[in-house]
Amino acid sequence: GGGGGGGATGGADDGASIDVTSLDDGATVSIDDVPTGEDVEADLGDAVAGEGVTLQSLTFDYRITPDDYRVEITEVGAEPTGSADELTRAEAIGYLDIEPIGTDQIESTEIGFTVEDDALADGAAADAVRLYRYDDGWEQLETDHAGSSGDVHEFVAVTDGFSSFAVGTATADVTVTDAALSDEQVIADEPATVTATVENDGDVEGSATLALTIDGEQRDEIDVSVPAGEQTDVTFTTALDEPGEYAVAVDEVTAGDLSVVESAASAESDDDSIVEEQAPGFGVLAAAIALLALGLLARRR
């Protein structure tokens, strides 16, 4: 078949008869004489396209070989189709709708499409492109980057249902979810350890620079990469030379309050000073005992 009305090709003995008709708002694919037990591939040419996105082909796998049917496809547009919401967790490139009419025997469909470099979000790689299907929420479909030709990238995705679809660039979502101190008290100049848990709720691997802050001032930073849907732990080590209480956080996630105390040598020195201050004359207690002894001696005399 082909765009602009197309024409039936083949018959029951040579393969299904496929006719692709271009419309102002998309295309209709008419499929007749489906051979028993065979998949059917419809080449769409340029009948369904949008800003930087072109639907190339649909390959149907059947549970039971259907009678004649057709598939209605909307043009690729900038707004969601049907009752679908805007795409989340990804930068939308284009939306479309694919709906078979006259059969419910399609087991799965392989969707081939292309995306041009200019349609990708700033800094996004072609490997981040995904096809999504809306079913009470957007579901990411298994999408393979099949190859590239110049600034055009080819993709293949598989769906087991039909409704609204979106082509989008998957994004990472790397955040600190927890932070904790290994010890709440340390001696001045000795290292304190802070551990942060970092999660990536996005659909592609992501990187982030984590900042360790003490009393709101940045003390250290670490670069981290987290695979899609996974988490990892990052450890900071720092030392403070002034005794006191300090608020510790990683990327604004509170790790706790760190108490820094004087060093052991300093504490021991302070204890010696206290003893030296009390030692002369044995202090008040020693003087009292001496006076009592003199009193008893005077009475005996």
Side-chain angles (χ1 to χ4, degrees), residues 35-128:
T36 301
E38 292 188 14
D39 296 348
V40 170
E41 178 180 0
D43 183 359
L44 305 178
D46 58 357
V48 180
E51 194 66 33
V53 180
T54 301
L55 195 63
Q56 294 286 311
S57 63
L58 298 173
T59 302
F60 303 102
D61 176 35
Y62 306 104
R63 287 185 290 270
I64 300 173
T65 301
D67 296 328
D68 303 342
Y69 68 99
R70 73 181 190 275
V71 180
E72 301 287 350
I73 310 169
T74 64
E75 191 76 308
V76 179
E79 300 295 331
T81 60
S83 60
D85 301 322
E86 289 190 358
L87 187 62
T88 57
R89 296 177 60 180
E91 294 289 336
I93 300 174
Y95 298 91
L96 71 156
D97 194 271
I98 303 174
E99 192 65 40
I101 308 295
T103 184
D104 58 1
Q105 297 303 323
I106 298 174
E107 178 75 25
S108 64
T109 302
E110 183 180 275
I111 301 174
F113 62 98
T114 61
V115 176
E116 298 175 9
D117 268 336
D118 291 344
L120 299 176
D122 290 342
D127 287 343

Side-chain angles (χ1 to χ4, degrees), residues 186-197:
V186 296
I187 296 172
D189 291 325
E190 291 193 356
T193 300
V194 185
T195 301
T197 299

Side-chain angles (χ1 to χ4, degrees), residues 17 31 38 101 110 116 133 210-211 240 244 249 271 275 283 294:
S17 174
I31 301 175
E38 292 188 14
I101 308 295
E110 183 180 275
E116 298 175 9
R133 176 178 172 244
L210 310 184
L240 300 169
D271 291 342
V275 171
L294 288 174

Side-chain angles (χ1 to χ4, degrees), residues 164-301:
S164 297
F165 292 86
V167 177
T169 306
T171 57
D173 183 13
V174 180
T175 57
V176 176
T177 58
D178 191 27
L181 293 160
S182 59
D183 295 293
E184 295 182 353
Q185 178 176 294
V186 296
I187 296 172
D189 291 325
E190 291 193 356
T193 300
V194 185
T195 301
T197 299
V198 188
E199 292 187 0
N200 181 4
D201 284 336
D203 294 324
V204 292
E205 181 176 1
S207 300
T209 300
L210 310 184
L212 172 69
T213 59
I214 297 178
D215 284 348
E217 295 185 4
Q218 183 170 323
R219 183 84 178 199
D220 195 5
E221 64 180 27
I222 293 178
D223 294 328
V224 60
S225 294
V226 187
E230 297 187 15
Q231 70 176 37
T232 188
D233 289 336
V234 175
T235 301
F236 292 89
T237 301
T238 188
L240 300 169
D241 55 9
E242 290 293 331
E245 299 292 325
Y246 298 89
V248 182
V250 179
D251 274 15
E252 300 184 355
V253 176
T254 299
D257 293 327
L258 178 64
S259 177
V260 179
V261 298
E262 294 182 347
S263 66
S266 175
E268 184 178 334
S269 176
D270 290 343
D271 291 342
D272 291 342
S273 297
I274 294 171
V275 171
E276 290 174 2
E277 290 174 0
Q278 294 179 347
F282 301 100
V284 177
L285 179 59
I289 294 173
L291 289 173
L292 179 59
L294 288 174
L296 292 174
L297 180 59
R299 290 185 61 187
R300 291 181 65 181
R301 289 179 177 178

